Amino acid sequence: MRRIKTTCLLWCLSLAAATAKEVPQIGNVLARETVSLNGAWNYIIDVQEEGYYDYRMNPTNSGFFRNAKPQRPEDLIEYDFDKAPTMQVPGDWNTQDERLFFYEGTVWLKRSFDYHQQAGQHTLLYFGAVNYDAHVYVNGKKAGHHVGGFTPFNYDVTEMLRDGENTVIVKVDNKRHAEDVPTQIFDWWNYGGITRDVLLVSVEPTYLENYKLYLDKKPSLKKNVSEIVFSAKLNKAEAGKTIALRIPELKIEQQLATDNSGKASAVLQVKNLQRWSPDSPKRYRVELSTGSQTIVDSIGFRTISTRGKRILLNGQPIFLKGISIHEEKPFGGGRANSTADAHTLLSWAKELGCNYVRLAHYPHNEYAVREAERMGILVWSEIPVYWTIAWKSLQTYENAERQLTDMIARDQNRANVIIWSIANETPHSAERDQFLGRLARHARSLDDTRLISMAMEVTGASNYHNRLQDNMHEYVDVVSFNQYIGWYRDVNDAPKMTWEIPYDKPVIISEFGGGAKYGLHGDKNQRWTEEFQENLYRENCAMLDKIEGLSGTTPWILKDFRSPRRVLTGIQDYYNMKGIYSDRGEKKKAFYVLKAWYEGK
Ligand code: GCB
């Protein structure tokens, strides 16, 4: 007994000595000096969280994070990561082990690696995303705890690493709770695991934490001159440090000194700037240096604004021909996390004639956003404030705000991202208004160079008259709503519908659609047939054309996707079938209706 206590004391002391620090998300991680920890990780499924709690449900000091090994033959240690199976990281566990297909609970993942920290450098341990709740340990010690399944986080682990072999262990828990974001019920697969990249990032003690470059929406008074606004921030409030900015093609070369808060900014006048647009997705090579480290980015410049009921891209009205997309691999499901996955999905969208996508219902991976930008596809990006969140909980609010902040910090330099959406189909109440109002104000305070929206719901004012009435109209730049006439309501009602959107703002229909099983044919009144969905699209396109100020649509959805809500055997089999492609990339008949409608826009 005594021996155990001493060990525990020593362990606790060492914990105090070598601490990690959660530091603000590092911008443009893909351009940094990194070592990837992607690959095979050993994992242990831990239904009762034996690796975290003792049998009285108190957190234990001898949990799985210690990665203990028997020292003597009689020692009892009832787990061994090195004998456990492996799965690929990044990757969801549901599609890698059939025992985990429906699993929602705790899995421990472990990876050992050789590392030699360069003298004078710091090392950040970066996770692109872990769904949902992650406890991170480095060499047996806690680096930190993170909540939220779709945004990046990083720790400064400089003091925790040793020369030679190191171990990272992550306890991942994807159990749902009512106070979480998203909440307990949602219509997509709750893929668990380390679903995005794990990287060690080597930085100097003072490094460029993040930066922002955008085209000022106020037109310059001089002909052919545009103003680019630049700001950057170090990880420390260090004054007098030089940040060098180069955009060779625009002949920009600036050396800026940081102020007392470690920030630098400038307004740059450039001539004959080629703007980014779907037709011409021009990006400029941007180089940023501090100390001896340089980061390279490709940045496009454009403006996005509204005038009355119009959305203006670079000052010109644009109709957003879109489609909604979940972050699921194109052939057979599982979380997507690569440029190749994104390219396939976005190419399907392009074939449909899209210039825009709604990346639903949470921030998608960085590869997808960047690939869309390269391909000239505009993006609506959102956080999973979905359906009925715990509006009264401050913790829930702070969680949502953190996810919003991290989404913006990661993608603030992507020209194609034009809309930050803060919520989807939320029930009206004073508490909700307060929660969402605060979120909207927060989004605007972080970024006033993009539009703010949310997917609202219409309320039937009378049987065939729909009125959009939502207190949140004041906070958004674009009013958006989902409607399912033809699916959750008779398709024959579509021609009779009238719409009233009493706000002088552009309107986006953020969802409409219905299900069909690819290859199932029949009468247009027979549910689940391709003909039913085809007719629904025909009726909806005709109906939507009557909405004044319609500035875009993102029908639901590009491809069939997994959902635990969709249990109809032989038809759904745990898939939401509203895709206009099957999950194998086969086009359903509705595809051609939508394509023709978009061709006329
Ligand atoms: C909605 C939700 C979306 C669902 C869809 C459906 O309104 O926003 O997440 O998947 O309806 O299929 O019912």
Side-chain angles (χ1 to χ4, degrees):
M1 203 58 192
R2 209 184 155 73
R3 191 180 59 85
I4 292 171
K5 277 198 177 141
T6 321
T7 324
C8 175
L9 183 69
L10 289 175
W11 182 74
C12 292
L13 284 174
S14 67
L15 184 72
T19 50
K21 211 169 53 169
E22 175 151 16
V23 291
Q25 183 196 146
I26 190 164
N28 193 7
V29 74
L30 301 172
R32 309 274 180 163
E33 212 180 307
T34 56
V35 172
S36 170
L37 296 185
N38 293 345
W41 288 52
N42 296 94
Y43 68 97
I44 297 173
I45 305 166
D46 188 11
V47 178
Q48 296 200 138
E49 305 201 297
E50 310 290 342
Y52 193 76
Y53 297 107
D54 65 16
Y55 79 120
R56 300 275 183 226
M57 280 303 281
N58 295 314
T60 170
N61 279 335
S62 54
F64 292 178
F65 47 86
R66 300 289 298 275
N67 193 26
K69 302 284 174 198
Q71 301 301 311
R72 301 167 311 167
E74 65 269 34
D75 283 351
L76 175 64
I77 294 174
E78 290 184 275
Y79 68 95
D80 185 347
F81 276 106
D82 298 315
K83 293 207 174 100
T86 60
M87 71 167 82
Q88 283 303 308
V89 167
D92 62 87
W93 62 54
N94 315 71
T95 57
Q96 297 196 59
D97 179 340
E98 61 186 28
R99 294 173 303 167
L100 295 175
F101 187 67
F102 287 102
Y103 184 67
E104 298 194 340
T106 287
V107 174
W108 294 81
L109 294 105
K110 174 239 161 199
R111 158 102 207 231
S112 296
F113 55 96
D114 246 18
Y115 193 65
H116 302 277
Q117 201 158 242
Q118 297 163 51
Q121 294 288 96
H122 278 221
T123 303
L124 308 188
L125 173 59
Y126 171 94
F127 292 86
V130 180
N131 192 38
Y132 171 84
D133 180 291
H135 289 266
V136 178
Y137 303 85
V138 176
N139 295 327
K141 287 156 202 151
K142 186 89 170 242
H145 176 215
H146 183 267
V147 167
F150 302 97
T151 37
F153 55 99
N154 39 225
Y155 304 107
D156 186 334
V157 293
T158 310
E159 291 175 20
M160 302 179 96
L161 293 170
R162 46 185 179 232
D163 211 41
E165 196 183 71
N166 291 270
T167 300
V168 174
I169 290 177
V170 188
K171 172 187 181 288
V172 185
D173 183 0
N174 71 336
K175 268 194 296 301
R176 306 157 184 245
H177 306 98
E179 324 73 51
D180 289 347
V181 185
T183 185
Q184 218 153 0
I185 300 174
F186 45 88
D187 190 17
W188 67 85
W189 209 259
N190 186 19
Y191 290 115
I194 304 177
T195 49
R196 295 187 190 156
D197 297 342
V198 186
L199 302 168
L200 290 170
V201 190
S202 180
V203 288
E204 289 172 345
T206 304
Y207 60 90
L208 189 60
E209 185 179 279
N210 212 345
Y211 55 90
K212 188 170 176 186
L213 266 165
Y214 62 90
L215 178 59
D216 198 345
K217 36 180 189 222
K218 290 190 302 297
S220 163
L221 298 174
K222 295 186 208 147
K223 204 164 169 247
N224 291 336
V225 171
S226 311
E227 289 189 344
I228 292 176
V229 185
F230 170 72
S231 59
K233 183 179 178 298
L234 301 174
N235 64 318
K236 289 182 187 156
E238 199 175 305
K241 183 109 181 157
T242 302
I243 298 178
L245 164 69
R246 287 187 73 228
I247 310 180
E249 213 183 324
L250 293 173
K251 302 194 171 45
I252 290 176
E253 202 147 351
Q254 295 257 331
Q255 308 262 334
L256 303 161
T258 56
D259 61 16
N260 286 336
S261 55
K263 293 181 182 161
S265 58
V267 176
L268 314 156
Q269 299 211 329
V270 294
K271 277 204 173 144
N272 302 323
L273 181 76
Q274 223 181 305
R275 293 180 177 214
W276 185 100
S277 74
D279 294 334
S280 165
K282 167 72 185 168
R283 294 175 302 162
Y284 289 89
R285 181 185 165 91
V286 173
E287 299 165 10
L288 287 153
S289 311
T290 14
S292 66
Q293 292 191 307
T294 298
I295 303 162
V296 177
D297 206 343
S298 289
I299 297 187
F301 299 100
R302 53 94 190 108
T303 60
I304 189 79
S305 56
T306 63
R307 192 172 55 223
K309 285 188 174 283
R310 296 240 153 128
I311 295 179
L312 308 177
L313 178 72
N314 294 322
Q316 299 300 315
I318 183 167
F319 186 86
L320 301 173
K321 300 184 246 184
I323 189 82
S324 299
I325 304 185
H326 261 298
E327 191 193 54
E328 201 174 71
K329 281 183 193 287
F331 301 101
R335 269 273 166 263
N337 180 49
S338 69
T339 300
D341 289 338
H343 185 76
T344 303
L345 295 169
L346 295 166
S347 300
W348 294 354
K350 274 232 144 165
E351 227 185 306
L352 186 64
C354 292
N355 57 13
Y356 166 68
V357 290
R358 174 182 181 194
L359 299 182
H361 276 303
Y362 37 76
H364 286 212
N365 66 82
E366 192 168 353
Y367 300 112
V369 179
R370 284 182 179 268
E371 183 59 6
E373 184 184 49
R374 195 191 63 79
M375 292 170 72
I377 298 175
L378 295 156
V379 162
W380 154 308
S381 187
E382 69 188 83
I383 50 168
V385 173
Y386 180 94
W387 293 352
T388 308
I389 293 283
W391 306 112
K392 291 185 193 158
S393 156
L394 179 62
Q395 211 182 327
T396 303
Y397 175 79
E398 285 169 353
N399 181 351
E401 189 184 280
R402 230 174 9 253
Q403 295 192 43
L404 180 67
T405 307
D406 287 335
M407 169 174 79
I408 294 176
R410 197 195 67 185
D411 292 340
Q412 61 188 356
N413 288 310
R414 302 284 68 84
N416 60 331
V417 178
I418 51 168
I419 297 175
W420 301 125
S421 171
I422 56 166
N424 180 76
E425 289 184 354
T426 51
H428 298 190
S429 72
E431 290 84 19
R432 178 209 76 149
D433 289 356
Q434 216 179 2
F435 186 112
L436 294 183
R438 200 173 155 194
L439 264 189
R441 283 195 300 274
H442 181 70
R444 215 176 281 288
S445 74
L446 293 176
D447 183 6
D448 67 352
T449 69
R450 289 179 174 82
L451 308 177
I452 290 171
S453 194
M454 59 181 268
M456 302 174 179
E457 287 177 312
V458 269
T459 39
S462 70
N463 209 10
Y464 298 113
H465 185 64
N466 282 298
R467 181 188 297 145
L468 183 64
Q469 207 163 30
D470 192 313
N471 293 338
M472 289 304 295
H473 74 91
E474 274 182 47
Y475 293 89
V476 296
D477 300 300
V478 174
V479 287
S480 311
F481 62 90
N482 303 345
Q483 66 79 21
Y484 278 93
I485 291 159
W487 189 253
Y488 297 123
R489 184 171 171 172
D490 190 351
V491 74
N492 298 311
D493 289 344
K496 299 175 211 155
M497 287 294 167
T498 52
W499 299 88
E500 185 186 342
I501 294 129
Y503 313 120
D504 189 27
K505 294 190 175 178
V507 180
I508 289 181
I509 309 300
S510 31
E511 286 178 33
F512 70 92
K517 188 173 168 71
Y518 172 75
L520 185 68
H521 294 287
D523 187 75
K524 68 176 188 195
N525 291 320
Q526 193 190 331
R527 266 207 202 239
W528 306 113
T529 62
E530 287 193 42
E531 287 71 17
F532 186 100
Q533 190 191 38
E534 179 189 36
N535 182 49
L536 182 154
Y537 267 78
R538 204 167 273 137
E539 293 293 346
N540 268 266
C541 294
M543 177 183 72
L544 298 179
D545 271 335
K546 291 190 224 146
I547 295 183
E548 197 208 338
L550 186 71
S551 288
T553 65
T554 42
W556 195 253
I557 186 169
L558 183 71
K559 76 159 195 80
D560 299 339
F561 62 97
R562 286 209 172 99
S563 168
R565 290 173 69 82
R566 310 296 171 176
V567 298
L568 182 62
T569 306
I571 298 282
Q572 294 174 312
D573 300 315
Y574 297 101
Y575 272 91
N576 182 315
M577 302 299 283
K578 296 190 186 70
I580 53 164
Y581 284 87
S582 74
D583 87 322
R584 305 266 150 200
E586 296 138 326
K587 296 182 185 89
K588 303 181 194 172
K589 287 181 139 191
F591 169 93
Y592 299 99
V593 177
L594 187 57
K595 186 176 166 71
W597 191 55
Y598 279 161
E599 272 162 8
K601 292 275 161 211

